[in-house]
Amino acid sequence: MADTWSIGKHAFTSRLLVGTGKYPDFPTMQRALVASGAELVTVAVRRLDLSKTGEASLLEWIPKGMKLLPNTAACFTADEAIRTARLGRELEMGDLVKLEVIGDRRTLFPDVVGLVAAAEVLVKEGFTVLPYTNDDPVTAKRLEDVGCAAVMPLGAPIGSGLGIRNPYNLRIIMETVSVPVLVDAGVGTASDAAIAMELGAVAVLMNTAIAEARDPVLMAEAMRAGVEAGRKAHLAGRIPTKLHAAASSPMTGLIGS
Protein backbone atom coordinates (compact mmCIF):
# COMPACT_ATOMS: atom_id res chain seq x y z
CA MET A 1 0.00 0.00 0.00
CA ALA A 2 1.10 3.56 -0.70
CA ASP A 3 2.59 5.43 2.25
CA THR A 4 0.10 8.30 2.14
CA TRP A 5 -0.55 11.14 4.57
CA SER A 6 -3.36 13.65 4.93
CA ILE A 7 -4.07 17.26 5.85
CA GLY A 8 -7.77 17.82 6.37
CA LYS A 9 -9.55 16.34 3.37
CA HIS A 10 -6.39 16.30 1.23
CA ALA A 11 -4.25 13.15 0.83
CA PHE A 12 -0.71 13.04 -0.54
CA THR A 13 1.97 10.50 -1.36
CA SER A 14 5.04 12.76 -1.65
CA ARG A 15 6.35 14.01 1.69
CA LEU A 16 8.32 16.86 0.14
CA LEU A 17 6.65 20.27 -0.15
CA VAL A 18 8.35 22.94 -2.22
CA GLY A 19 8.20 26.67 -2.85
CA THR A 20 8.33 28.96 -5.86
CA GLY A 21 10.55 31.85 -4.77
CA LYS A 22 14.19 32.79 -5.50
CA TYR A 23 14.61 30.75 -8.70
CA PRO A 24 16.72 32.35 -11.46
CA ASP A 25 13.85 31.98 -13.92
CA PHE A 26 10.48 30.28 -14.37
CA PRO A 27 11.71 27.43 -16.64
CA THR A 28 14.28 26.39 -14.01
CA MET A 29 11.61 26.56 -11.33
CA GLN A 30 9.30 24.35 -13.36
CA ARG A 31 11.99 21.71 -13.99
CA ALA A 32 12.93 21.67 -10.29
CA LEU A 33 9.30 21.31 -9.20
CA VAL A 34 8.89 18.32 -11.50
CA ALA A 35 12.18 16.76 -10.33
CA SER A 36 11.14 17.12 -6.67
CA GLY A 37 8.16 14.82 -7.12
CA ALA A 38 6.22 17.14 -4.80
CA GLU A 39 2.43 17.28 -4.99
CA LEU A 40 2.01 20.47 -2.95
CA VAL A 41 3.66 23.77 -3.90
CA THR A 42 3.49 26.95 -1.84
CA VAL A 43 2.96 30.38 -3.39
CA ALA A 44 3.31 33.74 -1.63
CA VAL A 45 -0.02 35.46 -2.30
CA ARG A 46 1.30 38.96 -1.51
CA ARG A 47 4.15 38.55 -4.00
CA LEU A 48 1.97 37.47 -6.94
CA ASP A 49 1.80 40.03 -9.71
CA LEU A 50 -1.81 39.66 -10.77
CA SER A 51 -1.26 41.94 -13.75
CA LYS A 52 0.91 39.27 -15.40
CA THR A 53 -0.75 36.77 -17.72
CA GLY A 54 0.37 33.81 -19.82
CA GLU A 55 4.05 32.92 -19.56
CA ALA A 56 4.74 36.13 -17.64
CA SER A 57 2.73 34.75 -14.70
CA LEU A 58 4.37 32.50 -12.11
CA LEU A 59 1.20 30.42 -11.86
CA GLU A 60 1.48 29.52 -15.54
CA TRP A 61 4.74 27.66 -14.86
CA ILE A 62 3.52 25.45 -12.01
CA PRO A 63 3.27 21.87 -13.33
CA LYS A 64 -0.21 20.55 -13.95
CA GLY A 65 -1.45 18.36 -11.13
CA MET A 66 0.45 20.15 -8.35
CA LYS A 67 -1.84 21.48 -5.65
CA LEU A 68 -1.39 25.08 -4.56
CA LEU A 69 -0.63 25.98 -0.96
CA PRO A 70 -1.04 29.76 -0.75
CA ASN A 71 0.99 31.34 2.04
CA THR A 72 0.86 34.60 3.95
CA ALA A 73 4.58 35.40 3.69
CA ALA A 74 5.53 39.03 4.39
CA CYS A 75 2.59 39.51 6.78
CA PHE A 76 3.60 41.12 10.08
CA THR A 77 0.23 41.26 11.82
CA ALA A 78 -2.63 38.85 12.32
CA ASP A 79 -4.95 41.15 10.36
CA GLU A 80 -2.58 41.21 7.36
CA ALA A 81 -2.33 37.43 7.38
CA ILE A 82 -6.11 36.99 7.61
CA ARG A 83 -6.72 39.37 4.69
CA THR A 84 -4.04 37.65 2.60
CA ALA A 85 -5.50 34.21 3.26
CA ARG A 86 -8.91 35.46 2.19
CA LEU A 87 -7.39 36.89 -1.00
CA GLY A 88 -5.88 33.50 -1.82
CA ARG A 89 -9.29 31.90 -1.49
CA GLU A 90 -10.85 34.59 -3.68
CA LEU A 91 -8.23 33.72 -6.32
CA GLU A 92 -9.58 30.16 -6.18
CA MET A 93 -6.44 28.66 -4.65
CA GLY A 94 -8.51 26.45 -2.38
CA ASP A 95 -9.00 26.08 1.36
CA LEU A 96 -5.41 25.26 2.31
CA VAL A 97 -3.25 28.07 3.69
CA LYS A 98 0.27 28.14 5.06
CA LEU A 99 -0.14 30.75 7.77
CA GLU A 100 2.79 33.05 8.52
CA VAL A 101 2.74 35.99 10.92
CA ILE A 102 6.29 37.31 11.11
CA GLY A 103 7.44 38.98 14.31
CA ASP A 104 10.97 40.09 13.43
CA ARG A 105 12.27 41.33 10.06
CA ARG A 106 15.88 40.27 10.65
CA THR A 107 15.37 36.69 11.82
CA LEU A 108 11.89 36.16 10.30
CA PHE A 109 10.88 34.36 13.47
CA PRO A 110 7.10 34.09 13.89
CA ASP A 111 4.95 36.25 16.13
CA VAL A 112 3.32 33.37 17.97
CA VAL A 113 0.67 35.53 19.67
CA GLY A 114 -0.51 36.92 16.35
CA LEU A 115 -0.16 33.49 14.76
CA VAL A 116 -2.55 31.82 17.20
CA ALA A 117 -5.02 34.69 16.88
CA ALA A 118 -5.01 34.56 13.07
CA ALA A 119 -5.26 30.76 13.05
CA GLU A 120 -8.35 30.83 15.26
CA VAL A 121 -10.13 33.24 12.88
CA LEU A 122 -9.20 31.35 9.72
CA VAL A 123 -10.18 27.96 11.13
CA LYS A 124 -13.62 29.36 11.96
CA GLU A 125 -13.87 30.60 8.36
CA GLY A 126 -13.32 27.10 7.01
CA PHE A 127 -9.64 27.26 6.08
CA THR A 128 -7.36 24.25 6.47
CA VAL A 129 -4.59 26.02 8.36
CA LEU A 130 -0.92 25.00 8.36
CA PRO A 131 0.88 27.45 10.65
CA TYR A 132 4.60 28.23 10.38
CA THR A 133 5.74 28.41 13.99
CA ASN A 134 8.82 28.26 16.17
CA ASP A 135 9.99 24.99 17.71
CA ASP A 136 8.00 25.52 20.93
CA PRO A 137 5.79 22.62 22.03
CA VAL A 138 3.46 24.92 24.00
CA THR A 139 2.70 27.06 20.95
CA ALA A 140 2.28 23.94 18.82
CA LYS A 141 -0.31 22.60 21.25
CA ARG A 142 -2.20 25.91 21.26
CA LEU A 143 -2.30 25.89 17.47
CA GLU A 144 -3.71 22.37 17.53
CA ASP A 145 -6.28 23.40 20.14
CA VAL A 146 -7.64 26.24 17.97
CA GLY A 147 -8.15 23.76 15.12
CA CYS A 148 -5.06 23.85 12.90
CA ALA A 149 -4.81 20.83 10.62
CA ALA A 150 -1.03 20.57 11.14
CA VAL A 151 1.86 22.46 12.72
CA MET A 152 5.00 23.52 10.87
CA PRO A 153 7.88 24.22 13.27
CA LEU A 154 11.08 25.67 11.85
CA GLY A 155 14.23 23.59 11.71
CA ALA A 156 16.29 26.79 11.61
CA PRO A 157 15.69 30.40 10.49
CA ILE A 158 14.13 30.79 7.04
CA GLY A 159 16.68 30.57 4.25
CA SER A 160 19.60 29.99 6.63
CA GLY A 161 20.51 26.49 5.45
CA LEU A 162 21.60 25.65 9.00
CA GLY A 163 19.73 22.36 9.08
CA ILE A 164 17.95 20.91 12.10
CA ARG A 165 19.24 22.96 15.04
CA ASN A 166 17.04 21.61 17.83
CA PRO A 167 15.95 18.03 17.15
CA TYR A 168 14.90 17.57 20.77
CA ASN A 169 12.22 20.26 20.65
CA LEU A 170 10.94 18.85 17.36
CA ARG A 171 10.62 15.41 18.96
CA ILE A 172 8.77 16.88 21.93
CA ILE A 173 6.35 18.63 19.56
CA MET A 174 5.72 15.33 17.78
CA GLU A 175 4.91 13.75 21.14
CA THR A 176 2.72 16.70 22.21
CA VAL A 177 0.35 17.14 19.26
CA SER A 178 -1.76 14.62 17.38
CA VAL A 179 -1.92 16.58 14.11
CA PRO A 180 0.79 16.14 11.44
CA VAL A 181 4.12 17.87 12.11
CA LEU A 182 5.85 19.25 9.02
CA VAL A 183 9.36 20.70 9.38
CA ASP A 184 9.49 24.07 7.64
CA ALA A 185 12.51 26.32 7.04
CA GLY A 186 16.24 25.98 7.55
CA VAL A 187 16.97 22.87 5.48
CA GLY A 188 20.22 23.26 3.54
CA THR A 189 20.88 19.91 1.92
CA ALA A 190 19.51 16.39 1.53
CA SER A 191 20.93 15.09 4.81
CA ASP A 192 18.98 17.79 6.69
CA ALA A 193 15.77 16.59 5.05
CA ALA A 194 16.60 13.00 5.94
CA ILE A 195 17.22 13.94 9.59
CA ALA A 196 13.88 15.72 9.81
CA MET A 197 12.09 12.66 8.48
CA GLU A 198 14.06 10.28 10.71
CA LEU A 199 12.86 12.28 13.71
CA GLY A 200 9.29 11.47 12.70
CA ALA A 201 8.19 14.50 10.71
CA VAL A 202 5.27 13.76 8.41
CA ALA A 203 6.80 15.92 5.67
CA VAL A 204 9.36 18.65 4.99
CA LEU A 205 8.82 22.00 3.26
CA MET A 206 11.71 23.83 1.62
CA ASN A 207 12.40 26.52 -0.94
CA THR A 208 15.76 28.29 -0.70
CA ALA A 209 17.81 25.11 -0.44
CA ILE A 210 16.60 24.06 -3.87
CA ALA A 211 16.10 27.42 -5.59
CA GLU A 212 19.51 28.85 -4.70
CA ALA A 213 21.52 25.66 -5.21
CA ARG A 214 24.12 25.74 -7.99
CA ASP A 215 21.94 23.21 -9.83
CA PRO A 216 18.36 23.55 -8.56
CA VAL A 217 17.04 20.62 -10.59
CA LEU A 218 19.69 18.22 -9.32
CA MET A 219 19.18 19.49 -5.76
CA ALA A 220 15.44 18.89 -6.08
CA GLU A 221 16.22 15.28 -6.98
CA ALA A 222 18.57 15.01 -4.01
CA MET A 223 15.95 16.42 -1.63
CA ARG A 224 13.38 13.98 -2.94
CA ALA A 225 15.76 11.09 -2.26
CA GLY A 226 16.68 12.48 1.18
CA VAL A 227 13.05 12.72 2.27
CA GLU A 228 12.32 9.22 1.00
CA ALA A 229 15.40 7.77 2.72
CA GLY A 230 14.60 9.50 6.00
CA ARG A 231 11.02 8.26 5.93
CA LYS A 232 12.14 4.67 5.31
CA ALA A 233 14.72 4.88 8.09
CA HIS A 234 12.05 6.17 10.49
CA LEU A 235 9.72 3.32 9.62
CA ALA A 236 12.51 0.74 9.81
CA GLY A 237 13.65 1.85 13.27
CA ARG A 238 17.32 2.59 13.87
CA ILE A 239 19.49 0.54 16.21
CA PRO A 240 20.17 1.92 19.71
CA THR A 241 23.32 4.02 20.05
CA LYS A 242 26.07 2.51 22.23
CA LEU A 243 29.24 3.84 23.77
CA HIS A 244 31.33 0.77 22.90
CA ALA A 245 31.62 -1.58 19.95
CA ALA A 246 29.26 -4.48 19.35
CA ALA A 247 30.52 -7.19 17.01
CA SER A 248 28.47 -7.82 13.87
CA SER A 249 29.06 -11.57 14.18
CA PRO A 250 28.59 -13.72 17.32
CA MET A 251 31.71 -14.16 19.46
CA THR A 252 30.77 -17.71 20.48
CA GLY A 253 31.57 -20.84 18.53
CA LEU A 254 34.67 -19.40 16.86
CA ILE A 255 37.10 -21.80 15.14
CA GLY A 256 39.91 -22.69 17.50
CA SER A 257 38.04 -21.57 20.62
Side-chain angles (χ1 to χ4, degrees), residues 15-20 23 33 42 98 152 183-190 192-194 204-211 219-220 222-224 227:
R15 293 175 181 269
L16 174 59
L17 288 68
V18 290
T20 52
Y23 283 94
L33 296 185
T42 187
K98 179 192 171 190
M152 303 178 73
V183 172
D184 179 14
V187 168
T189 190
D192 299 331
V204 179
L205 189 152
M206 65 187 70
N207 181 70
T208 305
I210 295 176
M219 183 60 80
M223 292 298 191
R224 179 178 184 172
V227 167

Side-chain angles (χ1 to χ4, degrees), residues 172-249:
I172 293 171
I173 290 173
M174 293 168 195
E175 294 174 358
T176 301
V177 302
S178 57
V179 294
V181 176
L182 291 71
V183 172
D184 179 14
V187 168
T189 190
S191 58
D192 299 331
I195 289 170
M197 296 302 298
E198 287 172 3
L199 288 171
V202 167
V204 179
L205 189 152
M206 65 187 70
N207 181 70
T208 305
I210 295 176
E212 292 194 343
R214 187 169 60 247
D215 185 337
V217 178
L218 186 59
M219 183 60 80
E221 294 177 0
M223 292 298 191
R224 179 178 184 172
V227 167
E228 292 173 352
R231 174 63 178 172
K232 290 178 180 178
H234 173 71
L235 293 175
R238 65 161 294 147
I239 63 170
T241 56
K242 301 174 182 176
L243 182 60
H244 302 291
S248 298
S249 301

